[in-house]
Short mmCIF file of all heavy atoms in Angstrom, two decimals:
data_model
loop_
_atom_site.label_atom_id
_atom_site.label_comp_id
_atom_site.label_asym_id
_atom_site.label_seq_id
_atom_site.Cartn_x
_atom_site.Cartn_y
_atom_site.Cartn_z
N ILE A 6 -5.52 -75.17 -229.85
CA ILE A 6 -4.89 -75.73 -228.74
C ILE A 6 -3.62 -74.93 -228.36
O ILE A 6 -3.30 -74.61 -227.19
CB ILE A 6 -4.53 -77.24 -228.94
CG1 ILE A 6 -5.81 -78.03 -229.09
CG2 ILE A 6 -3.68 -77.75 -227.83
CD1 ILE A 6 -5.54 -79.40 -229.52
N GLU A 7 -2.85 -74.56 -229.41
CA GLU A 7 -1.66 -73.70 -229.21
C GLU A 7 -1.96 -72.37 -228.60
O GLU A 7 -1.28 -71.87 -227.73
CB GLU A 7 -0.91 -73.55 -230.55
CG GLU A 7 -0.24 -74.80 -231.03
CD GLU A 7 0.28 -74.67 -232.48
OE1 GLU A 7 -0.23 -73.90 -233.24
OE2 GLU A 7 1.17 -75.46 -232.87
N LYS A 8 -3.09 -71.80 -229.03
CA LYS A 8 -3.47 -70.48 -228.54
C LYS A 8 -3.84 -70.58 -227.01
O LYS A 8 -3.44 -69.76 -226.21
CB LYS A 8 -4.64 -69.97 -229.33
CG LYS A 8 -5.12 -68.58 -228.87
CD LYS A 8 -6.26 -68.07 -229.71
CE LYS A 8 -6.72 -66.67 -229.28
NZ LYS A 8 -7.84 -66.19 -230.09
N LEU A 9 -4.53 -71.71 -226.69
CA LEU A 9 -4.92 -71.84 -225.29
C LEU A 9 -3.73 -72.12 -224.38
O LEU A 9 -3.68 -71.59 -223.23
CB LEU A 9 -5.91 -73.05 -225.15
CG LEU A 9 -6.45 -73.37 -223.77
CD1 LEU A 9 -7.40 -72.30 -223.30
CD2 LEU A 9 -7.13 -74.72 -223.72
N THR A 10 -2.74 -72.84 -224.85
CA THR A 10 -1.58 -73.18 -223.98
C THR A 10 -0.37 -72.39 -224.41
O THR A 10 0.72 -72.66 -223.91
CB THR A 10 -1.29 -74.71 -224.16
OG1 THR A 10 -0.99 -74.98 -225.58
CG2 THR A 10 -2.45 -75.57 -223.74
N GLY A 11 -0.50 -71.33 -225.31
CA GLY A 11 0.62 -70.70 -225.91
C GLY A 11 1.65 -70.12 -224.99
O GLY A 11 2.82 -70.04 -225.37
N LYS A 12 1.22 -69.65 -223.83
CA LYS A 12 2.23 -68.96 -223.02
C LYS A 12 3.28 -69.93 -222.47
O LYS A 12 4.34 -69.49 -221.98
CB LYS A 12 1.49 -68.34 -221.77
CG LYS A 12 0.77 -69.35 -220.87
CD LYS A 12 0.01 -68.70 -219.72
CE LYS A 12 -0.71 -69.68 -218.86
NZ LYS A 12 -1.42 -69.00 -217.72
N ARG A 13 3.06 -71.21 -222.67
CA ARG A 13 4.01 -72.24 -222.21
C ARG A 13 5.04 -72.55 -223.29
O ARG A 13 5.97 -73.30 -223.04
CB ARG A 13 3.33 -73.53 -221.81
CG ARG A 13 2.45 -73.34 -220.58
CD ARG A 13 1.65 -74.61 -220.35
NE ARG A 13 2.52 -75.79 -220.27
CZ ARG A 13 3.22 -76.18 -219.22
NH1 ARG A 13 3.10 -75.43 -218.09
NH2 ARG A 13 3.88 -77.23 -219.22
N PHE A 14 4.80 -72.06 -224.52
CA PHE A 14 5.66 -72.52 -225.65
C PHE A 14 6.24 -71.31 -226.42
O PHE A 14 5.55 -70.34 -226.74
CB PHE A 14 4.88 -73.34 -226.63
CG PHE A 14 4.46 -74.64 -226.01
CD1 PHE A 14 3.20 -74.76 -225.34
CD2 PHE A 14 5.26 -75.77 -225.99
CE1 PHE A 14 2.84 -75.94 -224.74
CE2 PHE A 14 4.94 -76.94 -225.41
CZ PHE A 14 3.68 -77.02 -224.75
N ARG A 15 7.45 -71.41 -226.71
CA ARG A 15 8.11 -70.32 -227.55
C ARG A 15 7.45 -70.27 -228.92
O ARG A 15 7.38 -71.32 -229.60
CB ARG A 15 9.59 -70.69 -227.72
CG ARG A 15 10.44 -69.58 -228.42
CD ARG A 15 11.83 -69.98 -228.52
NE ARG A 15 11.99 -71.20 -229.32
CZ ARG A 15 13.09 -71.93 -229.39
NH1 ARG A 15 14.12 -71.61 -228.68
NH2 ARG A 15 13.14 -73.01 -230.16
N GLY A 16 7.02 -69.17 -229.32
CA GLY A 16 6.37 -69.04 -230.62
C GLY A 16 5.02 -69.59 -230.66
O GLY A 16 4.39 -69.70 -231.77
N ARG A 17 4.48 -70.08 -229.55
CA ARG A 17 3.14 -70.66 -229.50
C ARG A 17 2.92 -71.83 -230.52
O ARG A 17 1.90 -71.92 -231.14
CB ARG A 17 2.07 -69.56 -229.76
CG ARG A 17 2.00 -68.48 -228.66
CD ARG A 17 0.84 -67.60 -228.94
NE ARG A 17 0.62 -66.66 -227.78
CZ ARG A 17 -0.38 -65.84 -227.68
NH1 ARG A 17 -1.32 -65.84 -228.63
NH2 ARG A 17 -0.44 -65.03 -226.66
N LYS A 18 3.96 -72.69 -230.63
CA LYS A 18 3.83 -73.76 -231.50
C LYS A 18 4.05 -75.13 -230.81
O LYS A 18 4.87 -75.20 -229.90
CB LYS A 18 4.89 -73.61 -232.64
CG LYS A 18 4.76 -72.40 -233.52
CD LYS A 18 3.50 -72.51 -234.43
CE LYS A 18 3.44 -71.37 -235.35
NZ LYS A 18 2.23 -71.44 -236.22
N ILE A 19 3.29 -76.13 -231.23
CA ILE A 19 3.56 -77.48 -230.79
C ILE A 19 4.86 -77.97 -231.48
O ILE A 19 4.96 -77.91 -232.67
CB ILE A 19 2.41 -78.41 -231.13
CG1 ILE A 19 1.16 -78.05 -230.24
CG2 ILE A 19 2.80 -79.84 -230.87
CD1 ILE A 19 -0.09 -78.86 -230.61
N ARG A 20 5.80 -78.35 -230.66
CA ARG A 20 7.13 -78.75 -231.18
C ARG A 20 7.14 -80.19 -231.71
O ARG A 20 6.31 -81.03 -231.25
CB ARG A 20 8.19 -78.56 -230.15
CG ARG A 20 8.37 -77.13 -229.69
CD ARG A 20 8.75 -76.21 -230.81
NE ARG A 20 8.84 -74.84 -230.36
CZ ARG A 20 9.04 -73.82 -231.17
NH1 ARG A 20 9.22 -74.01 -232.42
NH2 ARG A 20 9.13 -72.63 -230.68
N ARG A 21 8.04 -80.45 -232.62
CA ARG A 21 8.12 -81.77 -233.29
C ARG A 21 8.42 -82.83 -232.27
O ARG A 21 7.76 -83.90 -232.23
CB ARG A 21 9.24 -81.73 -234.34
CG ARG A 21 9.46 -83.07 -235.07
CD ARG A 21 10.55 -82.95 -236.06
NE ARG A 21 11.80 -82.53 -235.45
CZ ARG A 21 12.66 -83.40 -234.81
NH1 ARG A 21 12.32 -84.66 -234.73
NH2 ARG A 21 13.77 -82.94 -234.27
N LYS A 22 9.29 -82.59 -231.36
CA LYS A 22 9.66 -83.63 -230.34
C LYS A 22 8.47 -83.87 -229.41
O LYS A 22 8.30 -85.01 -228.99
CB LYS A 22 10.92 -83.20 -229.60
CG LYS A 22 12.20 -83.24 -230.39
CD LYS A 22 13.40 -82.90 -229.54
CE LYS A 22 14.75 -82.98 -230.33
NZ LYS A 22 15.92 -82.62 -229.50
N ALA A 23 7.77 -82.84 -229.07
CA ALA A 23 6.64 -82.91 -228.14
C ALA A 23 5.52 -83.75 -228.79
O ALA A 23 4.93 -84.67 -228.18
CB ALA A 23 6.08 -81.59 -227.73
N LEU A 24 5.29 -83.53 -230.06
CA LEU A 24 4.22 -84.33 -230.79
C LEU A 24 4.70 -85.78 -230.92
O LEU A 24 3.87 -86.69 -230.76
CB LEU A 24 3.96 -83.70 -232.13
CG LEU A 24 2.79 -84.33 -232.88
CD1 LEU A 24 1.51 -84.34 -232.11
CD2 LEU A 24 2.58 -83.55 -234.26
N ASP A 25 5.91 -86.02 -231.28
CA ASP A 25 6.42 -87.37 -231.37
C ASP A 25 6.26 -88.12 -229.98
O ASP A 25 5.89 -89.22 -229.95
CB ASP A 25 7.87 -87.38 -231.80
CG ASP A 25 8.51 -88.73 -231.94
OD1 ASP A 25 7.84 -89.63 -232.54
OD2 ASP A 25 9.61 -88.99 -231.45
N ALA A 26 6.60 -87.42 -228.93
CA ALA A 26 6.50 -88.02 -227.58
C ALA A 26 5.04 -88.33 -227.24
O ALA A 26 4.74 -89.39 -226.64
CB ALA A 26 7.14 -87.12 -226.52
N ALA A 27 4.13 -87.43 -227.64
CA ALA A 27 2.72 -87.61 -227.37
C ALA A 27 2.18 -88.81 -228.12
O ALA A 27 1.40 -89.60 -227.62
CB ALA A 27 1.94 -86.37 -227.69
N ILE A 28 2.60 -88.94 -229.37
CA ILE A 28 2.19 -90.11 -230.20
C ILE A 28 2.66 -91.41 -229.51
O ILE A 28 1.91 -92.38 -229.50
CB ILE A 28 2.75 -90.01 -231.62
CG1 ILE A 28 1.97 -88.82 -232.36
CG2 ILE A 28 2.57 -91.27 -232.42
CD1 ILE A 28 2.59 -88.47 -233.71
N LYS A 29 3.86 -91.40 -229.02
CA LYS A 29 4.37 -92.62 -228.37
C LYS A 29 3.62 -92.91 -227.11
O LYS A 29 3.37 -94.06 -226.72
CB LYS A 29 5.90 -92.50 -228.16
CG LYS A 29 6.74 -92.52 -229.43
CD LYS A 29 8.18 -92.25 -229.10
CE LYS A 29 8.99 -92.31 -230.43
NZ LYS A 29 10.47 -91.98 -230.21
N THR A 30 3.33 -91.87 -226.35
CA THR A 30 2.65 -92.00 -225.08
C THR A 30 1.25 -92.66 -225.29
O THR A 30 0.83 -93.58 -224.66
CB THR A 30 2.46 -90.68 -224.39
OG1 THR A 30 3.72 -90.23 -223.96
CG2 THR A 30 1.66 -90.86 -223.08
N VAL A 31 0.52 -92.07 -226.24
CA VAL A 31 -0.85 -92.69 -226.55
C VAL A 31 -0.73 -94.08 -227.16
O VAL A 31 -1.51 -94.96 -226.93
CB VAL A 31 -1.59 -91.71 -227.48
CG1 VAL A 31 -2.98 -92.34 -227.90
CG2 VAL A 31 -1.85 -90.33 -226.79
N GLY A 32 0.37 -94.23 -227.94
CA GLY A 32 0.58 -95.56 -228.54
C GLY A 32 0.82 -96.63 -227.49
O GLY A 32 0.36 -97.79 -227.73
N ARG A 33 1.46 -96.30 -226.47
CA ARG A 33 1.64 -97.28 -225.38
C ARG A 33 0.33 -97.59 -224.70
O ARG A 33 0.06 -98.80 -224.29
CB ARG A 33 2.65 -96.77 -224.30
CG ARG A 33 4.10 -96.80 -224.85
CD ARG A 33 5.11 -96.47 -223.68
NE ARG A 33 5.12 -95.02 -223.40
CZ ARG A 33 5.95 -94.14 -224.02
NH1 ARG A 33 6.72 -94.57 -224.97
NH2 ARG A 33 5.90 -92.89 -223.71
N ALA A 34 -0.59 -96.65 -224.53
CA ALA A 34 -1.93 -96.92 -224.00
C ALA A 34 -2.67 -97.85 -224.96
O ALA A 34 -3.41 -98.80 -224.56
CB ALA A 34 -2.64 -95.61 -223.77
N GLN A 35 -2.54 -97.56 -226.26
CA GLN A 35 -3.24 -98.38 -227.24
C GLN A 35 -2.67 -99.84 -227.20
O GLN A 35 -3.48 -100.79 -227.35
CB GLN A 35 -2.98 -97.84 -228.64
CG GLN A 35 -3.70 -96.50 -228.89
CD GLN A 35 -3.24 -95.81 -230.17
OE1 GLN A 35 -2.07 -95.93 -230.54
NE2 GLN A 35 -4.16 -95.19 -230.80
N TYR A 36 -1.44 -99.99 -227.01
CA TYR A 36 -0.87 -101.35 -226.92
C TYR A 36 -1.46 -102.15 -225.81
O TYR A 36 -1.80 -103.28 -225.92
CB TYR A 36 0.65 -101.26 -226.76
CG TYR A 36 1.32 -102.62 -226.51
CD1 TYR A 36 1.46 -103.53 -227.57
CD2 TYR A 36 1.74 -102.99 -225.28
CE1 TYR A 36 2.01 -104.75 -227.33
CE2 TYR A 36 2.30 -104.26 -225.07
CZ TYR A 36 2.45 -105.09 -226.07
OH TYR A 36 3.00 -106.32 -225.85
N GLN A 37 -1.64 -101.46 -224.64
CA GLN A 37 -2.20 -102.19 -223.47
C GLN A 37 -3.67 -102.43 -223.69
O GLN A 37 -4.20 -103.46 -223.26
CB GLN A 37 -1.94 -101.41 -222.19
CG GLN A 37 -0.53 -101.29 -221.76
CD GLN A 37 0.15 -102.65 -221.54
OE1 GLN A 37 -0.58 -103.63 -221.10
NE2 GLN A 37 1.38 -102.78 -221.90
N ALA A 38 -4.36 -101.52 -224.37
CA ALA A 38 -5.80 -101.78 -224.74
C ALA A 38 -5.96 -102.97 -225.65
O ALA A 38 -6.83 -103.80 -225.51
CB ALA A 38 -6.43 -100.51 -225.34
N ARG A 39 -4.94 -103.15 -226.56
CA ARG A 39 -4.99 -104.29 -227.47
C ARG A 39 -4.70 -105.55 -226.74
O ARG A 39 -5.22 -106.66 -227.08
CB ARG A 39 -4.00 -104.05 -228.61
CG ARG A 39 -4.56 -103.06 -229.68
CD ARG A 39 -3.75 -103.17 -230.98
NE ARG A 39 -2.33 -102.84 -230.76
CZ ARG A 39 -1.84 -101.63 -230.77
NH1 ARG A 39 -2.65 -100.56 -230.88
NH2 ARG A 39 -0.56 -101.41 -230.61
N ARG A 40 -3.78 -105.50 -225.75
CA ARG A 40 -3.53 -106.70 -224.90
C ARG A 40 -4.80 -107.16 -224.21
O ARG A 40 -5.12 -108.33 -224.20
CB ARG A 40 -2.54 -106.40 -223.78
CG ARG A 40 -1.06 -106.42 -224.27
CD ARG A 40 -0.12 -106.21 -223.03
NE ARG A 40 -0.12 -107.35 -222.14
CZ ARG A 40 0.42 -107.30 -220.90
NH1 ARG A 40 0.96 -106.17 -220.44
NH2 ARG A 40 0.40 -108.40 -220.13
N LEU A 41 -5.59 -106.21 -223.66
CA LEU A 41 -6.87 -106.55 -223.03
C LEU A 41 -7.77 -107.11 -224.06
O LEU A 41 -8.48 -108.07 -223.80
CB LEU A 41 -7.46 -105.32 -222.37
CG LEU A 41 -8.75 -105.51 -221.63
CD1 LEU A 41 -8.58 -106.43 -220.47
CD2 LEU A 41 -9.39 -104.17 -221.19
#
């Protein structure tokens, strides 16, 4: 994934803050799925 999107990231790495934010984003979707 990093190689495919690498030109957008310094050092071609997924950053810690970006991964934390992504986990929270998907977590919010999961919460609404559990509500349903």
Side-chain angles (χ1 to χ4, degrees):
I6 296 171
E7 288 169 338
K8 183 178 179 181
L9 182 70
T10 60
K12 61 183 180 180
R13 296 173 51 83
F14 294 91
R15 186 181 62 192
R17 293 188 173 185
K18 298 291 184 181
I19 290 174
R20 299 299 176 186
R21 179 180 60 81
K22 289 184 179 179
L24 186 53
D25 181 45
I28 289 172
K29 290 176 180 176
T30 296
V31 176
R33 285 189 284 270
Q35 292 170 323
Y36 173 75
Q37 292 303 325
R39 286 195 299 276
R40 277 185 71 193
L41 182 64

